[in-house]
């Protein structure tokens, strides 16, 4: 470790350490998240208003009311602090079983708009009500009896809230209900693999009481043995481990990227106004706003206790709200800088999530580009450049799963999202009486991964909102298809076939819904008003990944109606400030009337206008024994890569960072 640190400090000293401007810097930015003081101000403005007459007032979301894009862009081009748009907050509250949407002018200490939401879908759960609902069974006599009957200790049983989706007629009309599911810890910390199967607890969150209880005692709690993951609990023989060799390297030439990073209770990390210096040295916009818009996780077990498990983790639970503090040296490398995030609790008070983001330079020992030339007489040319990148990282722990989102910025102009990691944590386990695959049939809806433990089949669909502004907001979406051309052999050469590119510019939203695996070779966002000296339109390419699954549920299945957009990997919509959340603003118990697929059906024009890409990383998860008791990190990524955005490779004249041997 000593030599690593010394090496790091030496390089840092020699090469001028990079400078990061954190969101809490003294220069205000219109997209800064609300500060603790602003969160407190919003709370006192609201609690001193007539709304506070309600004893049941709870805060479900408080965040920046995003200023209009036009005012942000004019501020951004002028860098004139006098033209900062007024700071406004959006607050979503519940009072007397109603949802209230408020816009608050913070400086003016005024509520500028107040709407009582009439819909049938609900805001994100608060942590406090999830906790309170989880405690209800423990003082509920029939549940206490169920625990006793199973020979378990009540103090080992832990329960938490699970959203129930919407299933048409079966819906609990007009109530904010959740299922409370219970697990057994005690001998192990790995409670998610030890469910109390067959117990149904339905809770009304507004009344905070149990509406429905049933115990079908279907299978015992799976054994604790072999499920522990805490390092302190492991016993020899230990598993294999490589030597810890950490080589990080601060990089000097960061300056070609510039972006704003903000924390939001719902979205987690929001990257805004990302711009890069072009080869002529002037700054050009790339991404106005990028964030995780929704995360849909449907389980594939239609039985009574499992059918409703079709979660929308961003809209129902909050990707930011459930962010986990990152641990230095484990979750992030030694050279990382950490940034805190703030959110409003149920009572509106600000609370910190420390180390919610880490930002670091990464050098993993890979070249960015290379070439060896031996054709030149008398010399061998070996040219290569290190790939040093800047990474912004956050982790959100949504119950049993932990999602790690990385935004990686490369000097080549590429932005990669979640390169080496995306998803880890504990599988959702269904208890079974079986402990051999011979006893398992298709009715089990999963794989036997441990004695008495079925890991149920499910999907993960992570949908990103990508408001690209490639060299400005007026962009078009172009699909490049490969066309196979057959020729007459011998005329004039013996070749019989080749492929060529046929480009098609999407005119309306209907043209811009893409399912991968068709003949689509390239998906481009171009600005036809900004061209290279050779005449190519400035563009960015979306490069998808192997995690390209789409939903296999039938179109008329309730969860699919709610997440209809998961049938395609890519959608393009014209920019609309309100269209941020792919499964709708109110996701809990939504009915599919406000989602990306619905908006797209308007078939609006997407040509030469401000457009937004919606890209979904999709996994069909068929668990295996290696995923138990904790699943090793699964990868899944995509890239936004410049395409005729620069006149030439922007890194061709980059000096090698270190010529010769690495310092010892
Ligand atoms: C409502 O106002 C009272 C008196 O000002 C205060 O004590 C209480 O905390 C407020 N309620 C909420 C939910 O903030
Ligand atoms: C390039 O690599 C070759 C083979 O490793 C080596 O012989 C040669 O000296 C290198 N040339 C330079 C200029 O470093
Ligand atoms: C298999 O399950 C049965 C009944 O649940 C139990 O008695 C037995 O010990 C289990 N065997 C193993 C290897 O876990
Ligand atoms: C979308 O609009 C275009 C242009 O008006 C039209 O040609 C096309 O048929 C429409 N598609 C759908 C699915 O409505
Ligand atoms: Cu999974």
């Amino acid at each position: 470790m000593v030599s690593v640190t010394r090496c790091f400090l030496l390089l840092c000293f020699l090469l001028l350490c990079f400078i990061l401007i954190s969101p809490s810097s003294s220069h205000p930015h219109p997209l800064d998240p609300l500060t603790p003081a602003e969160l407190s101000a919003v709370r006192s403005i609201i609690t001193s208003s007539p709304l506070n007459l309600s004893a049941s007032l709870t805060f479900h979301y408080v965040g920046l009311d995003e200023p209009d894009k036009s005012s942000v862009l004019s501020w951004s081009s002028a860098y004139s602090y006098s033209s900062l748009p007024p700071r406004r907050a959006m607050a979503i509250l519940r009072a007397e079983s109603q949802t209230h949407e408020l816009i608050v002018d913070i400086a003016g200490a005024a509520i500028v708009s107040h709407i009582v939401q009439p819909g049938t879908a609900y805001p994100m759960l608060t942590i406090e009500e999830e906790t309170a609902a989880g405690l209800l069974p423990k003082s509920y006599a029939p549940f206490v009896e169920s625990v006793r009957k199973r020979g378990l200790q009540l103090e080992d049983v832990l329960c938490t809230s699970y959203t129930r989706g919407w299933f048409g007629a079966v819906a609990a009309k007009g109530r904010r209900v959740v299922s409370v599911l219970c697990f057994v810890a005690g001998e192990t910390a790995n409670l998610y693999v030890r469910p109390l199967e067959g117990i149904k607890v339905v809770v009304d969150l507004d009344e905070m009481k149990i509406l429905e209880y049933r115990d079908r005692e279907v299978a015992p709690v799976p054994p604790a043995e072999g499920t522990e993951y805490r390092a302190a609990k492991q016993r020899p023989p230990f598993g294999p481990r490589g030597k810890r060799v950490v080589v990080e390297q601060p990089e000097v030439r960061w300056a070609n990227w510039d972006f704003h990073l903000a924390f939001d209770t719902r979205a987690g990390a929001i990257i805004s106004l990302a711009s890069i210096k072009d080869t002529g040295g002037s700054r050009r916009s790339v991404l106005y706003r990028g964030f995780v818009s929704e995360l849909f996780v449907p389980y594939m077990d239609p039985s009574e206790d499992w059918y409703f498990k079709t979660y929308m983790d961003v809209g129902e639970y909050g990707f930011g709200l459930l962010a986990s503090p990152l641990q230095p040296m484990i979750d992030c490398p030694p050279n990382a800088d950490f940034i805190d995030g703030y959110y409003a609790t149920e009572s509106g008070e600000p609370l910190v999530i420390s180390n919610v983001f880490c930002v670091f330079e990464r050098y993993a020992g890979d070249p960015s580009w290379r070439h060896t030339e031996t054709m030149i007489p008398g010399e061998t040319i070996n040219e290569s450049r290190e790939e040093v990148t800047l990474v912004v990282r956050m982790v959100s722990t949504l119950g049993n799963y932990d999602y790690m989102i990385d935004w990686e910025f490369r000097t080549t102009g590429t932005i990669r999202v979640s390169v080496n990691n995306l998803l880890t944590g504990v599988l959702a386990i269904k208890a079974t009486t079986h402990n051999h695959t011979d006893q398992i049939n298709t009715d089990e809806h999963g794989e036997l991964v441990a004695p008495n433990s079925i890991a149920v089949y499910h999907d993960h669909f992570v949908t990103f909102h990508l408001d690209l502004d490639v060299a400005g907001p007026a962009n078009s979406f172009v699909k490049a298809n490969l066309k196979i051309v057959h020729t007459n052999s011998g005329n004039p050469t013996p070749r019989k076939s080749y492929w060529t590119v046929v480009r098609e510019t999407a005119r309306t939203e209907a043209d811009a819904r893409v399912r991968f695996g068709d003949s689509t070779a390239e998906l481009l966002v171009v600005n036809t008003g900004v061209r290279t000296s050779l005449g190519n339109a400035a563009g960015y390419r979306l490069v998808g990944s192997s995690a390209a699954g789409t939903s296999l549920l039938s179109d008329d299945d309730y969860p699919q109606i709610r997440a209809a957009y998961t049938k395609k990997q890519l959608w393009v919509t014209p920019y609309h400030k309100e269209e941020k959340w792919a499964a709708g603003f109110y996701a809990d118990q939504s009915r599919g009337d406000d989602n990306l697929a619905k908006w797209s059906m308007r078939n609006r024009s997407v040509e030469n206008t401000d457009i937004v890409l919606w890209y979904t990383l999709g996994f069909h998860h068929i668990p295996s024994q290696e995923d138990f008791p904790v699943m090793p990190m699964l990868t899944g990524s995509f890239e936004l890569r410049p395409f005729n955005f620069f006149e030439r490779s922007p890194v061709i004249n980059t000096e090698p960072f270190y010529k010769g041997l690495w310092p010892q």
Side-chain angles (χ1 to χ4, degrees), residues 599-618:
W599 311 328
S600 171
M601 290 311 152
R602 281 183 251 162
N603 198 16
R604 295 161 292 185
S605 168
V606 291
E607 194 175 357
N608 198 22
T609 184
D610 191 357
I611 56 177
V612 177
L613 263 60
W614 305 79
Y615 179 65
T616 297
L617 289 174

Side-chain angles (χ1 to χ4, degrees), residues 52 106 120 130 158 163 243 257 316 341 379 429 452 478 488:
N52 188 32
I106 299 172
T120 50
E130 278 191 64
L158 299 167
T163 49
K243 264 196 209 152
W257 274 112
E316 292 175 345
E379 60 178 323
I429 294 293
N452 310 116
V478 176
N488 295 328

Side-chain angles (χ1 to χ4, degrees), residues 448-471:
L448 193 65
V449 294
N452 310 116
S453 306
I454 300 273
V456 175
Y457 301 134
H458 60 277
D459 298 314
H460 302 263
F461 296 110
V462 190
T463 300
F464 289 83
H465 171 108
L466 302 165
D467 180 0
L468 287 166
D469 279 7
V470 176

Side-chain angles (χ1 to χ4, degrees), residues 44-110:
S44 62
I45 294 163
I46 291 170
T47 54
S48 59
S49 79
L51 253 180
N52 188 32
L53 297 177
S54 158
S56 65
L57 183 68
T58 51
F59 289 69
H60 291 255
Y61 175 85
V62 182
L64 179 71
D65 178 42
E66 196 180 317
D68 286 334
K69 187 166 177 177
S70 56
S71 55
V72 175
L73 291 181
S74 65
W75 171 89
S76 166
S77 52
Y79 280 102
S80 141
Y81 297 129
S82 58
S83 66
L84 262 181
R87 296 284 287 169
R88 289 184 165 192
M90 171 185 275
I92 308 297
L93 314 171
R94 289 282 292 175
E96 307 294 350
S97 298
Q98 284 183 314
T99 301
H100 299 259
E101 292 175 13
L102 276 67
I103 303 294
V104 176
D105 173 351
I106 299 172

